[in-house]
Amino acid sequence: MSDRKLKVIINGIETLCDRDDTILKVAKKIGVKIPHLCNDKRLEPYGGCRLCIVKVKGVPRPLSACTTPVAENMEVTTDTDEIIRIRKTLVELLLSNHPNDCMRCERTGDCKLQNLSYEYGVDGSRFEGERWNLPIREDNPFITYEPNKCILCGRCVRICNEVVMAGTIDLVGRGFNSMPDTAFRKPRTLDNCEFCGQCVSTCPTGALTDRKARGKGRIYDLKKVKTTCSYCGTGCNFFLNVRNGRVVKVTSDTSAPVNQGNLCVKGRYGYDFIDHPDRIKTPLIKKNGKFVEATWDEALGLIADKFSSLMKKHGNESVGAFSSSRCTNEENFLLSKFVRTVFRSNNVDNCARV
Amino acid sequence: MPDIETLFLFGSNPTEAHPIVSLWLKKALRKGAKLIVGDPRKTWMAERADVWLNLKPGSNIAMMNGLVNVILENGWENKEFIAKRTEGFDALKAKVKEYDLGRVEKLTGVSKESIIEAARLYSHAGKAMIVYGLGVTEHQTGTENAMAIANLALVCGHLGRPSTGIMALRGQNNVQGASDLGPLPATLPGYQSVKDPKAREKFEKAWGVPISDKIGLKSVEMLDECKAGKFKGLFILGEDPAQTDPDLNHVNKALESVEFLVVQDIFHTETTKHADVILPGASFAEKDGTFTNGERRVQRVRKAIEPLAGKAEWQVISELATRMGYNQRYNHPSEIMDEIASLVTQYGGISYERLEKQSLQWPCPTKDHPGTTTMYTDLFARANGLALFMTLDHKGSGEVPDKEYPYLLITGRVREHYNNGSMTRRVPGIMELVPEELVEISPEDAKKLDIKSGDMVKVSSKRGTVKAKAKVTNRSQKGNVFMTFHFDKALTNIVTSEHRDPITGTPEYKSCAVNISK
Ligand code: SF4
Ligand code: SF4
Ligand code: SF4
Ligand code: FES
């Protein structure tokens, strides 16, 4: 295989790309938008929804951009009249058996189907179809499943099997009744699911949502703060979603260098400790065996006096500090500096090297 | 990573302890990589392995020597690599000769066939990678275990090319950064020795005080001194040794003995019980900062909400320093990073401004340096550029099962919880899934002891006893039991042993002798 770059032209824009790139990938790189529903860069190309179809010069039928690799001198047009007509019909078909529930749907504003319906100016009235009328499933602590809103893009099934290799869900049932579900439609438990929430993170509609965050705010109510996970040392990035000074949800950052939007149960669902009522909110000083609330001024004053007098009485080698692998670099540096400049010794260590 | 041909996972259970790393490994497996797993527990990966080396805890060196011996006896080694890139091969060859298959089978409990097959798979691969975890380092021979692994990689020349090498996985989120930035008794930030006059001079100039050239006490030693009554004051930032250190009775005595103890944490813990003053900590959502991950990647932590107690740790430490006569003021953690960059060469080019755009992997010495994605392993960090084979001998664990304590306890993690559990135990959904400690015990042992899943059992060692529910599972092999250390209601570390790796001070969490009773 040669590493030579290929030349392709998309909507008249000429660009160089790698041999195994798909049309969709190249278009994204140069800022040309192609709608898509069943594609996620964490997954193998699938070609199920057909929304990403484009016209390739010299090819009679439209091709799906997510599965078609680029070729030398390929000329691609993403929005011909014919293609727009087909896309409209595809969206109309999806809407024809979709509940009209945008007004109270968790995903409103962040739903790919809703956005496409708006963009192409269509609703579900052209093909009035049979609709599922299945109950909302909340049979586990983290994941809510509204099968009626599923558009069968298969992303949840694929991420669970391809990426997580948990095999929790698959397409079950036949024909009109086929839908993603667990084996025997059992609740998700630790016996069959890792609760990584990858399926939720990839779902383009309101079919799979984070249960704990339901009703706590939609995308436009939430401030998203990109940060790094404070659990294991892998260094996953994600967004803390904040509303009124509270972290209400964690969402994927698909551009994260380490985890590409994947997370484990701790990173995705382990945030409730942040405002847990057990949090220590004021300094505490032990008096007669009991902890008594104190101001910062009192506590820091006492600590400064006590350490100073211990050092005076027993020498500066009689005190020291433990730092933590759970604190930030800056804090570790400062504690290291504190011991050297204030205690004037090297009695500082991080407590567990594990 | 995905074009690895053979993956050798040793003493690491990434699907539980490093779930996202496990996704990379799974990708390699999906692309057809062969898998060797060295683990006494039948983990998710072990179940799917082409070869499972179900070795006895404490027999890592014997295992590695045995593998190298098989490779050499069959002529499967990479002769060119050995000749050009290494030293001390003859001594290694003579040493591993003592580890013939019969002896290794006895020491490790692994069948001869599996040892040969593992040696074949690893040595025959074009690209093979070793990933190891705390099952290697949390032994009294931890450092030597890691060297024994290096011998194997060197013999086959599986180093220094893409999709080869040795990757070590550790436990806590910022264990890398907390080493880099010098809260260590022998080194200043950036691994600069306190014994090096030039290094001291640099810091003296920056900080304006004389720096002591006397190596300080390790945390274990400080605790010993506390117990002996010589150590009088201790500041513990964000750690919980009274739950997570081994041999808790000893730790508790030390923390009771010290005259003045300050603990800063976000929750009450076993350790705060002993404190004279508790300072509230700020969670990662309440402050700006950086963490450095296992691949030396420096990434931003960003403040999403105000600190619940009004101050973050960096402010508290600065204020305390100022009150004690060392004037210290920062307006923002970015200024602390700038100071780090000026003193620590590896972080020299790192600033919040750059991190805003992308994470950076150190060494990143200058402002225009792009960072370093792969680093030649330390094995080649010698002056002549040649890696040195180490001759190592099987020593076993500090404590081995005997008549009174016939079982072997391995401790570790489960995916749903983190360390002392103070955070994850306060997440309702997680507590629904994994509400309590479970002692994993093999079906054979359970039958012998008449224990069923859900029975309360006592796990005792020379140091103490802990009670928890049993879970009968074939993840544990006969003779071994497994527990985590996540629960304050079952303090597993009352039982674990005081043995440590003398070089790093890492405790032998992976092996101690216990008895099990109902
Ligand atoms: S999934 Fe989208 S289209 Fe369907 S109800 Fe929710 S917001 Fe509306
Ligand atoms: S949470 Fe993870 S393991 Fe469970 S179904 Fe979703 S993707 Fe699969
Ligand atoms: S649940 Fe969501 S991700 Fe899964 S098939 Fe339905 S729409 Fe797609
Ligand atoms: S995104 Fe290409 S077919 Fe669905």
Side-chain angles (χ1 to χ4, degrees), chain A residues 162-233:
Chain A
E162 266 176 50
V163 176
V164 191
M165 288 174 83
T168 312
I169 43 179
D170 206 340
L171 284 179
V172 302
R174 283 166 189 276
F176 176 71
N177 289 318
S178 139
M179 68 172 85
D181 211 333
T182 55
F184 308 108
R185 305 185 196 257
K186 277 197 191 146
R188 282 176 172 85
T189 65
L190 272 192
D191 292 332
N192 63 10
C193 174
E194 299 192 358
F195 294 103
C196 60
Q198 245 74 273
C199 48
V200 178
S201 78
T202 195
C203 182
T205 72
L208 288 169
T209 48
D210 291 320
R211 179 175 176 185
K212 292 196 291 187
R214 283 173 69 90
K216 301 249 167 77
R218 283 164 165 160
I219 185 157
Y220 41 79
D221 303 315
L222 303 169
K223 182 177 87 177
K224 278 183 159 193
V225 181
K226 182 169 163 166
T227 195
T228 304
C229 185
S230 73
Y231 287 116
C232 85

Side-chain angles (χ1 to χ4, degrees), chain A residues 307 310-321 339 342-348, chain B residues 185 211-217 221-222 225-226 230-233:
Chain A
F307 274 125
L310 286 173
M311 278 156 68
K312 204 172 278 160
K313 207 154 132 206
H314 305 283
N316 56 345
E317 300 277 345
S318 69
V319 294
V339 170
V342 178
F343 290 171
R344 301 287 175 93
S345 78
N346 290 308
N347 286 334
V348 61
Chain B
I211 303 282
S212 165
D213 64 353
K214 189 173 156 207
I215 289 178
L217 300 176
E221 293 164 341
M222 285 190 246
E225 293 289 290
C226 286
K230 286 186 227 149
F231 215 66
K232 302 293 181 186

Side-chain angles (χ1 to χ4, degrees), chain A residues 328 330, chain B residues 287-290 300 314 330-340 352:
Chain A
T328 64
E330 290 75 4
Chain B
K287 58 197 174 195
D288 285 307
T290 56
R300 276 296 312 277
W314 62 274
Y330 300 97
N331 297 309
H332 188 264
S334 64
E335 299 174 6
I336 306 171
M337 181 52 85
D338 293 341
E339 184 172 329
I340 293 172
Y352 277 30

Side-chain angles (χ1 to χ4, degrees), chain B residues 218-271:
Chain B
K218 291 189 193 138
S219 54
V220 212
E221 293 164 341
M222 285 190 246
L223 290 176
D224 288 347
E225 293 289 290
C226 286
K227 205 169 148 189
K230 286 186 227 149
F231 215 66
K232 302 293 181 186
L234 190 57
F235 185 108
I236 299 182
L237 175 66
E239 280 286 356
D240 186 12
Q243 179 168 343
T244 60
D245 265 22
D247 193 5
L248 291 184
N249 289 331
H250 172 75
V251 177
N252 283 328
K253 275 197 201 103
L255 295 177
E256 274 157 29
S257 317
V258 70
E259 195 175 319
F260 186 62
L261 177 67
V262 182
V263 183
Q264 186 163 24
D265 209 318
I266 61 177
F267 291 113
H268 288 281
T269 64
E270 294 304 306
T271 302

Side-chain angles (χ1 to χ4, degrees), chain A residues 145-147 149-157 169 171 180 199 202-205 207-208:
Chain A
Y145 180 32
E146 299 183 55
K149 293 177 183 172
C150 174
I151 58 167
L152 291 170
C153 68
R155 281 162 70 161
C156 55
V157 168
I169 43 179
L171 284 179
C199 48
T202 195
C203 182
T205 72
L208 288 169

